[in-house]
Amino acid sequence: MKNNLKSLERNQLKVINGGYPACPENLECGNDWCCINGACRPRSQAGPNGLCMAPPIE
């Protein structure tokens, strides 16, 4: 069964990245969550170095 991406709503497209919601513009996903590769994922998936995306420092 194929899904036509054009038939999906914008909110549905945001969760395609591995079933996780897309990161917000400020990259803050909430408690114990961080932005990894464009998706909000549990901080435990950040790896041993804890690599989470951070907003740029101004």
Side-chain angles (χ1 to χ4, degrees):
M1 169 171 40
K2 286 188 175 182
N3 247 346
N4 185 349
L5 294 178
K6 291 181 181 180
S7 69
L8 296 175
E9 304 247 347
R10 184 172 179 84
N11 287 341
Q12 292 172 314
L13 289 172
K14 287 183 177 181
V15 297
I16 283 180
N17 190 354
Y20 293 101
C23 297
E25 286 185 30
N26 65 3
L27 301 177
E28 293 181 15
C29 295
N31 293 340
D32 294 326
W33 289 76
C34 65
C35 187
I36 303 172
N37 294 333
C40 288
R41 298 174 186 267
R43 198 172 296 276
S44 61
Q45 291 185 4
N49 297 328
L51 296 176
C52 292
M53 295 174 68
I57 298 173
E58 295 180 12

